[in-house]
Amino acid sequence: MHEGGNGGGHEGGAGASPSGVDQEYLALERELTVLMRRARAKQGEMARAVHPDLESAAYGLLVRLDECGRQRATELAAYIGVGKATMSRQLRALEDLGLVAREPDPADGRAWLVHLTEEGRRRVQRVREARRARYVSQLAHWDRREVAELARLLQQLNQGMAK
């Protein structure tokens, strides 16, 4: 991990290009760009596998509800990183597809909790199981400790980027 506040290269300039850019960070940018492009394409495929009319961006909401259960729309919006209006629109679309439902929050009668319907849960879990099977197949030549280390590093990256 690069330390120091001057933004320069490592000691002695190792890893820095003649322009002063750290090659490690250029490589990171390049690989993350490829990963994100592929992830966006796969997210669209997974969304359509859940329901042909499901927007790609809404797939993440369904996964979050599958993992965490009932949530307020404001919690979902904060987690996904969208505004209240965008979240309301996405939730209405998911309700119209029969994938989520709302119920009054017993802790606050003014708020609503969103949850997967049984049909929504069944569809999301089917797609997630297929995705995990693809990971197992694609990473079969990896040592399980490497897979665990990659997951740990991605979690660390996600936490750092959320700040």
Side-chain angles (χ1 to χ4, degrees):
M1 182 144 303
H2 180 69
E3 297 292 330
N6 65 7
H10 299 279
E11 287 184 27
S17 70
S19 65
V21 178
D22 288 332
Q23 292 302 307
E24 298 87 353
Y25 291 97
L26 286 173
L28 175 63
E29 176 192 21
R30 180 178 54 251
E31 296 305 324
L32 282 176
T33 299
V34 171
L35 178 66
M36 287 186 287
R37 189 176 322 120
R38 288 180 179 163
R40 274 192 298 274
K42 289 293 181 192
Q43 183 170 337
E45 290 174 21
M46 290 182 292
R48 287 185 297 281
V50 170
H51 192 285
D53 297 328
L54 182 63
E55 286 184 32
S56 178
Y59 178 77
L61 291 173
L62 297 176
V63 169
R64 181 68 174 180
L65 289 169
D66 187 41
E67 290 178 347
C68 299
R70 289 170 165 74
Q71 300 236 312
R72 287 185 178 185
T74 53
E75 293 170 321
L76 288 168
Y79 177 77
I80 300 293
V82 298
K84 189 176 179 180
T86 299
M87 182 55 55
S88 292
R89 182 185 59 77
Q90 288 182 343
L91 290 175
R92 270 193 309 277
L94 291 171
E95 281 182 296
D96 291 345
L97 295 175
L99 301 173
V100 302
R102 299 182 205 212
E103 63 186 44
D105 184 346
D108 181 353
R110 301 167 297 168
W112 293 86
L113 293 175
V114 181
H115 62 90
L116 289 176
T117 62
E118 284 305 313
E119 178 68 7
R121 183 172 315 287
R122 184 185 65 74
R123 289 175 178 242
V124 170
Q125 288 178 348
R126 178 179 40 85
V127 171
R128 293 187 79 194
E129 287 168 12
R131 182 178 62 176
R132 279 190 298 276
R134 279 194 307 274
Y135 289 156
V136 169
S137 174
Q138 292 168 338
L139 301 176
H141 62 285
W142 285 39
D143 183 283
R144 290 181 84 85
R145 291 178 302 234
E146 292 175 317
V147 175
E149 179 66 3
L150 176 60
R152 186 191 69 74
L153 289 170
L154 288 171
Q155 179 185 30
Q156 184 177 336
L157 176 67
N158 285 327
Q159 288 173 341
M161 294 178 123
K163 295 178 183 175

